[in-house]
Amino acid sequence: MIGFLVAGLIIGALARLIKPGRQNLGILATLGLGLVGSLIGGVIAQAFGTGSIWELNIIGFVLAVVAAVLLIGVAEGVAGKSRAHA
């Protein structure tokens, strides 16, 4: 469980480094998006037959980072829309 949290934090941090621009996300948002991204990446990698969702493998890791980058973009879009209406 602790390894899953650490992996989620690493994936979220990498996604923030890859995503251009400044993100107004805290450590918990980064962790949450990293965890969700790792789950999505793991499910997709498992569908490709590269191993279990709970295993650490390169394809799952790359897909997790890509999913987390996309999730950060979605989170920024949602947060930007809510700030624009305020």
Side-chain angles (χ1 to χ4, degrees):
M1 186 68 171
I2 292 173
F4 188 64
L5 292 173
V6 171
L9 188 57
I10 291 169
I11 289 167
L14 282 173
R16 286 187 66 180
L17 288 173
I18 292 170
K19 177 92 172 71
R22 186 178 189 307
Q23 299 92 27
N24 290 327
L25 298 172
I27 190 84
L28 290 178
T30 301
L31 175 63
L33 292 173
L35 288 173
V36 173
S38 67
L39 285 174
I40 292 170
V43 167
I44 294 171
Q46 186 173 3
F48 287 147
T50 62
S52 171
I53 186 174
W54 304 110
E55 291 178 353
L56 180 62
N57 60 50
I58 296 298
I59 293 173
F61 184 79
V62 170
L63 289 171
V65 172
V66 169
V69 168
L70 294 173
L71 288 170
I72 287 172
V74 169
E76 286 179 326
V78 169
K81 286 181 184 176
S82 65
R83 282 189 215 125
H85 293 299

